[in-house]
Amino acid sequence: MIKTLLKQYINNAVHKITKNDVSFDIRIPSKEFGDYSSNIGLVLCKQLHQSPQDINLRLIDILNKSKDFTKYFSQVQEANGFLNFTLNPKFVHQEIKNINKQKEKYFMVKNSTKKKPKVQVEFVSANPTGPLTLANARAAFFGKALADILSYNGFQVEKEFYVNNTGKQIYNLGIAIIKAWKLNPGDYGYKFNELDIYKGNYINEISVIIRSKIKGDLETYVKKHSPDDIGSMAVKENLAQIKYVLSKKANIVFDNWFLETDLKKLGYLDKVFKWLVNEGFTYKKDGALWLKTTKMFNDDKDRVLQRSEGGLETYFLNDIAYHLEKFSHRKFDWVIDIFGADHFTHAQKMIWVVNKMKETGIIKPSSRFDIILIQFMTLLKNGKPFKMSKRQGNFITFEDFIDAVGKDAASFFILERSTDTHLDFDYDLAIEQSDKNPVYYIQYAYARICSIQNKFTKSVKTHKQNIDLSLLNNKNEIYLMKEILRLPDILHDISLTFEVHLLTNYVVNLAKAFHSFYQNCPIIKSEEKLQASRLFLLDATKITFELCFSIMNIDTKKHM
């Protein structure tokens, strides 16, 4: 990672003129100012009581004398308080060769320790009482991309879907199925509130599937099987459909599907209950168990952990137990939860709880916990909310969304916006087949590479031997090579900030760099040695595109 390397050099130089640690930026400047730029002089000027220019000149002298610095950077200059760095062409050429030799492994962080830090990314985790909806789309594509990026940054990552398969919702789902069979649950002694009952075409569809698996008449079956039993059957059918849509339609595969019912089987509800009580975080009132959230972190009210009616655990208590299980049983070093923006209050409670777990020693103090809140999205057509034909009644399903715009467009358009901003998804642009559509634009760049390579299938082995990349001195060739080398830094930055949209920005810029190269650096008509070098650069470009497409969940297209 070039930015990391440069930061080390600058830090070492700074420590030769001051003992204090300082925070500074390294950015990509305009082309005329080199390849990388730092504001270190501006940062140090107040501390050292010198002008940024004078400080930068001192740093330049130290940097140029640093071991191997000129191996990586051919030039460092002062400009208006900034230090501007230019990569050494020989270093650039060697890195392009390394990419072609190592393929995607080039972009993987080599861990200094034998054991990779164990990370869990939990996302989607939609209620299994119905199909996935449009509201789940952002978390699905974002979670998959973030998990892949963390893997490339040297972490051992598991993607998990938490299945809330217990509680009142399962009972209410069972009631809905019974009603779909044209039976009255009240006739069998089952109480319910009509407002709590699930409705929609999907209920009728599931009721037909379950009916096909029942032998005998329905009345006898409903007498012998509670709404919880019937609801559990419906959850299994819903879960099978959710898995199908995610894996087959969206190409998102989870490593683990964790059932909420397993928390009790594993004993973690009892463990967390005893911990909360023993630490004095709870009190009893009106027969229920409450958590002192108003006292602990200024919540607007204390939260119920266990209800008085039948001693039913709340979602909050189950979630506390679930996170204790993650850290203490499966021993994750880092847990990342991806929630919808409407879970803000719950997120704050969970952060507080996990911090208390660390403070009291029930999990390792080094355990890391992050929650990413994702804002909602609106599907627009002609600039207005798109009233898509809703197969399930009153909401757009995730499957309908994928079928309408395609997986590639769905993923890219979702990833290109920061998760903390509302997303207006442009349906018209997503399906447009032109350069206006960024998905079309980047896929067309890849297809162009494949088209060129197909014309040189017989000479593929020849052009990879005795390559002279110094022949690539056209500004478009140089820019493309340097753009390729930016990817490891992009992936590293995302692992720190969770800003996955940096990758979509990068791949569009990579496509622009390639298209400029394609238009200004002819391959077919070029001299043999130059032709071989340009084909070699194409190989590296293709590898880079393939990695980006894989992370962004976008298909590569050889023909367009």
Side-chain angles (χ1 to χ4, degrees):
M1 292 176 285
I2 296 172
K3 283 175 65 177
T4 301
L5 176 69
L6 180 55
K7 197 154 196 173
Q8 290 173 347
Y9 273 115
I10 295 175
N11 268 322
N12 291 338
V14 167
H15 288 154
K16 291 186 177 182
I17 60 176
T18 177
K19 294 181 179 180
N20 298 326
D21 290 324
V22 292
S23 178
F24 56 90
D25 293 332
I26 295 177
R27 298 185 179 182
I28 307 298
S30 301
K31 293 180 184 179
E32 64 269 24
F33 292 112
D35 301 318
Y36 296 89
S37 182
S38 175
N39 66 341
I40 183 64
L42 296 169
V43 171
L44 285 173
C45 64
K46 289 184 178 180
Q47 180 186 137
L48 300 180
H49 304 292
Q50 297 177 21
S51 71
Q53 291 80 6
D54 289 341
I55 294 171
N56 284 338
L57 291 175
R58 291 176 65 187
L59 291 173
I60 288 173
D61 184 57
I62 296 170
L63 287 168
N64 282 327
K65 294 176 181 177
S66 300
K67 184 180 178 180
D68 291 334
F69 178 77
T70 55
K71 173 184 174 182
Y72 304 106
F73 302 95
S74 59
Q75 185 173 267
V76 52
Q77 293 180 309
E78 202 286 330
N80 301 318
F82 289 87
L83 278 182
N84 297 325
F85 301 82
T86 301
L87 290 172
N88 187 324
K90 290 182 179 179
F91 168 69
V92 174
H93 299 158
Q94 185 57 52
E95 293 303 289
I96 295 298
K97 290 179 180 179
N98 290 340
I99 290 172
N100 282 347
K101 182 179 180 180
Q102 300 172 26
K103 306 295 192 271
E104 69 171 21
K105 290 183 180 179
Y106 172 87
F107 300 99
M108 294 181 178
V109 172
K110 284 72 177 175
N111 226 304
S112 57
T113 58
K114 291 183 179 180
K115 185 181 177 183
K116 293 182 177 181
K118 193 176 178 184
V119 180
Q120 185 209 66
V121 182
E122 184 219 328
F123 58 107
V124 184
S125 298
N127 199 322
T129 54
L132 296 178
T133 70
L134 182 65
N136 304 124
R138 286 193 85 174
F141 287 113
F142 175 84
K144 185 267 181 193
L146 179 62
D148 287 355
I149 289 169
L150 291 173
S151 294
Y152 277 98
N153 277 278
F155 296 99
Q156 178 187 340
V157 182
E158 289 187 22
K159 299 185 287 289
E160 181 153 299
F161 189 115
Y162 178 65
V163 183
N164 187 356
N165 66 331
T166 186
K168 282 187 175 181
Q169 60 174 2
I170 308 303
Y171 179 91
N172 290 333
L173 180 60
I175 292 290
I177 299 298
I178 294 172
K179 287 173 66 66
W181 288 335
K182 307 301 181 185
L183 300 175
N184 182 7
D187 294 343
Y188 304 89
Y190 303 133
K191 297 180 180 180
F192 66 95
N193 185 332
E194 189 65 37
L195 296 176
D196 295 332
I197 305 308
Y198 296 99
K199 298 175 179 65
N201 293 338
Y202 76 94
I203 293 294
N204 294 326
E205 292 174 3
I206 297 172
S207 71
V208 171
I209 293 173
I210 296 176
R211 176 66 184 95
S212 68
K213 297 180 180 181
I214 296 174
K215 296 179 180 179
D217 67 282
L218 286 174
E219 290 190 17
T220 301
Y221 187 85
V222 172
K223 288 178 182 178
K224 293 182 178 180
H225 296 84
S226 70
D228 285 306
D229 295 332
I230 297 169
S232 294
M233 290 180 67
V235 164
K236 289 181 180 179
E237 298 299 330
N238 280 332
L239 207 53
Q241 180 62 15
I242 288 172
K243 290 181 178 180
Y244 169 79
V245 171
L246 285 169
S247 62
K248 302 302 181 183
K249 292 293 184 84
N251 191 37
I252 298 172
V253 178
F254 285 85
D255 300 301
N256 192 39
W257 296 73
F258 190 96
L259 301 178
E260 185 176 1
T261 48
D262 286 344
L263 289 172
K264 186 165 284 187
K265 293 178 184 178
L266 293 169
Y268 275 88
L269 276 172
D270 290 336
K271 288 181 181 180
V272 82
F273 184 89
K274 291 177 182 177
W275 171 68
L276 289 168
V277 172
N278 290 341
E279 292 295 334
F281 297 148
T282 63
Y283 66 92
K284 286 187 177 181
K285 179 183 177 183
D286 300 328
L289 186 71
W290 298 73
L291 186 67
K292 301 174 182 177
T293 52
T294 52
K295 181 179 179 181
M296 301 299 184
F297 60 96
N298 297 321
D299 199 359
D300 60 338
K301 60 182 179 181
D302 289 340
R303 304 289 170 169
V304 178
L305 291 174
Q306 193 173 43
R307 299 184 181 93
S308 54
E309 63 267 23
L312 292 174
E313 296 87 5
T314 62
Y315 173 79
F316 186 25
L317 182 62
N318 284 334
D319 210 22
I320 297 173
Y322 177 42
H323 284 76
L324 178 60
E325 189 279 336
K326 292 182 184 189
F327 286 111
S328 66
H329 183 235
R330 286 184 281 168
K331 301 189 183 305
F332 285 106
D333 300 297
W334 183 10
V335 170
I336 300 172
D337 291 349
I338 299 174
F339 294 160
D342 56 339
H343 284 65
F344 174 79
T345 301
H346 181 70
Q348 297 303 305
K349 290 186 292 182
M350 287 308 306
I351 290 171
W352 177 85
V353 166
V354 171
N355 284 336
K356 289 299 178 183
M357 287 182 184
K358 291 193 287 186
E359 290 174 15
T360 57
I362 196 171
I363 64 175
K364 291 188 300 183
S366 60
S367 300
R368 180 176 173 184
F369 180 50
D370 286 289
I371 295 179
I372 301 170
L373 296 177
I374 295 188
Q375 293 295 327
F376 299 108
M377 63 179 283
T378 304
L379 187 61
L380 301 180
K381 186 176 184 181
N382 297 323
K384 298 179 180 179
F386 184 17
K387 300 184 183 299
M388 182 191 293
S389 176
K390 299 175 184 177
R391 181 169 56 87
Q392 299 296 357
N394 60 350
F395 56 83
I396 299 173
T397 69
F398 185 34
E399 185 176 9
D400 290 339
F401 172 59
I402 297 293
D403 289 344
V405 303
K407 169 185 68 68
D408 296 348
S411 181
F412 185 93
F413 279 68
I414 282 172
L415 295 179
E416 75 169 343
R417 290 296 298 273
S418 174
T419 55
D420 60 4
T421 59
H422 181 87
L423 170 61
D424 287 329
F425 191 102
D426 190 335
Y427 172 84
D428 302 294
L429 183 59
I431 63 172
E432 183 168 327
Q433 297 295 297
S434 77
D435 286 352
K436 292 180 180 179
N437 181 345
V439 181
Y440 179 93
Y441 184 70
I442 62 177
Q443 287 180 322
Y444 186 50
Y446 183 86
R448 266 183 164 175
I449 293 174
C450 294
S451 176
I452 295 169
Q453 288 181 329
N454 287 340
K455 295 175 182 178
F456 291 90
T457 51
K458 293 182 180 180
S459 59
V460 163
K461 291 184 179 179
T462 304
H463 86 251
K464 291 185 178 180
Q465 298 173 0
N466 302 318
I467 293 297
D468 183 5
L469 294 183
S470 66
L471 297 174
L472 302 180
N473 50 30
N474 179 284
K475 65 178 182 179
N476 295 286
E477 295 166 330
I478 295 170
Y479 184 71
L480 178 56
M481 287 189 286
K482 291 180 177 180
E483 193 67 24
I484 289 171
L485 299 189
R486 286 188 58 216
L487 181 56
D489 285 318
I490 296 292
L491 298 179
H492 178 66
D493 288 347
I494 295 172
S495 74
L496 300 176
T497 64
F498 306 144
E499 295 178 336
V500 175
H501 62 276
L502 296 176
L503 182 60
T504 58
N505 295 340
Y506 168 79
V507 78
V508 170
N509 288 333
L510 180 64
K512 288 178 181 177
F514 166 74
H515 286 305
S516 294
F517 163 81
Y518 177 85
Q519 292 164 2
N520 295 284
C521 305
I523 295 177
I524 296 175
K525 296 181 180 180
S526 59
E527 178 270 329
E528 185 177 349
K529 288 186 178 180
L530 178 58
Q531 183 183 85
S533 297
R534 286 176 173 171
L535 285 170
F536 194 82
L537 177 54
L538 277 190
D539 291 341
T541 308
K542 184 180 181 182
I543 291 167
T544 309
F545 271 124
E546 287 173 344
L547 175 60
C548 293
F549 283 17
S550 174
I551 292 173
M552 296 188 301
N553 206 0
I554 293 173
D555 294 337
T556 55
K557 294 188 176 182
K558 295 183 178 180
H559 307 284
M560 287 183 69

